[in-house]
Amino acid sequence: MKPNIKQIVILFVSLFFISCSSEEMISQSTNLPEQQIVPPTTPDVPTTPIAKTINYLALGDSYTIGQSVCETCRYPEQLKTRLTTIYPETSFSLKVIARTGWTTRDLMSSINSQSLEQNYDLVTLLIGVNNQYQHQDFSVYKKEFPELLNKAIALAKGNNKNVIVLSIPDYVYTPFAKGYDETMKAKISAEIEEYNRFAENFCNTKEVQFISITSITQQGLINPSLVASDGLHPSETAYKLFVDKILNPVKLILQD
């Protein structure tokens, strides 16, 4: 009996120390400082000389004209400013064809009414939200977006590599849409996603760059600084993030 009692005592003592050691390890691990997750950054495209003059055409709607922000705050102007800083020996001209409320048809009508030279080194296109907002049949966008993209390519010296299409922002994530119920919000986001998916797929067939900025606008409710004073459109800060995302592709276009 005695040897058995001794073994039992040794066993309990061992279990006690193991338990203490485990608790100490857990306590130490919970007191470790949190590690900050640093998002990966896209390597900057090296800067090489470009042409002495660059003509830039920005096509779109309120997201291009910069509704509710200053003229120099909208993304085409911010892009021009950034490029001027990067390429101080180059002269940049910017023409904006955009208006709040424009659909694909409105934009095409305005382009066709002007005598535009097909000499643009860079063309950006962001269009479609008003087709969705005005409850137009999706077939209208499917017909007119390709026509607009082909027109943009023609204006970009016929070079598809000189064109960038930006995705449609999601206005569900703004104070403007707070009055919508969850079913309506889900419907709007799904429709905008459908528009963007179609545009991206068509851009792929034309070998045109499609750059999504929608995720930036989907931070509008948790980061109010991304929304303009009207509670609907992107702010100067949001447009800066647009430019951050398209700057390297634009540099590659201009340096090609």
Side-chain angles (χ1 to χ4, degrees):
M1 295 292 293
K2 288 184 179 180
N4 290 337
I5 294 174
K6 183 177 180 181
Q7 290 174 358
I8 291 171
V9 170
I10 292 173
L11 176 62
F12 274 109
V13 171
S14 300
L15 289 173
F16 173 77
F17 281 111
I18 291 173
S19 175
C20 291
S21 176
S22 300
E23 290 178 1
E24 183 178 0
M25 290 174 65
I26 294 172
S27 175
Q28 289 176 352
S29 65
T30 56
N31 291 329
L32 288 174
E34 293 185 4
Q35 293 184 344
Q36 291 186 339
I37 300 176
V38 180
T41 56
T42 303
D44 194 25
V45 172
T47 301
T48 59
I50 62 174
K52 294 299 182 181
T53 60
I54 294 293
N55 298 317
Y56 169 28
L57 174 64
L59 305 172
D61 49 36
S62 58
Y63 295 132
T64 297
I65 200 66
Q67 179 68 33
S68 299
V69 298
C70 68
E71 182 174 330
T72 58
C73 300
R74 57 196 184 188
Y75 87 82
E77 292 283 358
Q78 288 199 47
L79 177 59
K80 177 186 174 185
T81 299
R82 292 276 290 276
L83 291 172
T84 300
T85 301
I86 296 170
Y87 305 102
E89 296 182 358
T90 296
S91 174
F92 291 89
S93 69
L94 167 63
K95 183 175 181 61
V96 177
I97 302 178
R99 185 171 296 176
T100 299
W102 271 3
T103 63
T104 47
R105 185 165 302 169
D106 296 322
L107 178 57
M108 181 61 83
S109 295
S110 180
I111 293 172
N112 290 337
S113 69
Q114 303 182 46
S115 299
L116 298 174
E117 295 187 30
Q118 299 181 352
N119 68 338
Y120 289 95
D121 304 285
L122 171 67
V123 178
T124 57
L125 174 63
L126 197 176
I127 193 69
V129 71
N130 293 299
N131 293 61
Q132 184 279 329
Y133 183 73
Q134 296 177 21
H135 308 293
Q136 292 187 1
D137 192 278
F138 183 57
S139 61
V140 175
Y141 186 78
K142 290 175 69 175
K143 175 182 181 295
E144 295 178 352
F145 176 80
E147 294 174 355
L148 273 171
L149 184 56
N150 288 333
K151 187 66 174 180
I153 293 172
L155 293 170
K157 301 179 179 179
N159 189 345
N160 57 324
K161 303 300 183 183
N162 291 352
V163 179
I164 290 179
V165 173
L166 279 70
S167 67
I168 302 170
D170 190 343
Y171 63 88
V172 162
Y173 296 86
T174 65
F176 173 85
K178 277 191 173 180
Y180 296 161
D181 61 32
E182 293 307 313
T183 301
M184 177 59 74
K185 290 179 180 178
K187 181 176 183 293
I188 292 170
S189 289
E191 289 176 354
I192 290 175
E193 182 180 355
E194 183 180 22
Y195 276 69
N196 283 330
R197 185 167 54 249
F198 174 81
E200 182 174 14
N201 288 338
F202 187 75
C203 284
N204 288 339
T205 67
K206 304 294 290 188
E207 297 185 343
V208 169
Q209 290 193 76
F210 179 90
I211 298 179
S212 178
I213 48 79
T214 307
S215 60
I216 296 171
T217 63
Q218 289 173 333
Q219 303 300 310
L221 291 177
I222 62 176
N223 188 353
S225 69
L226 297 177
V227 183
S229 58
D230 64 1
L232 172 60
H233 291 91
S235 66
E236 177 183 4
T237 301
Y239 285 134
K240 178 184 180 300
L241 296 177
F242 288 16
V243 173
D244 288 345
K245 202 158 189 180
I246 68 176
L247 184 61
N248 276 346
V250 168
K251 288 173 66 177
L252 288 173
I253 288 173
L254 301 182
Q255 293 174 182
D256 187 5

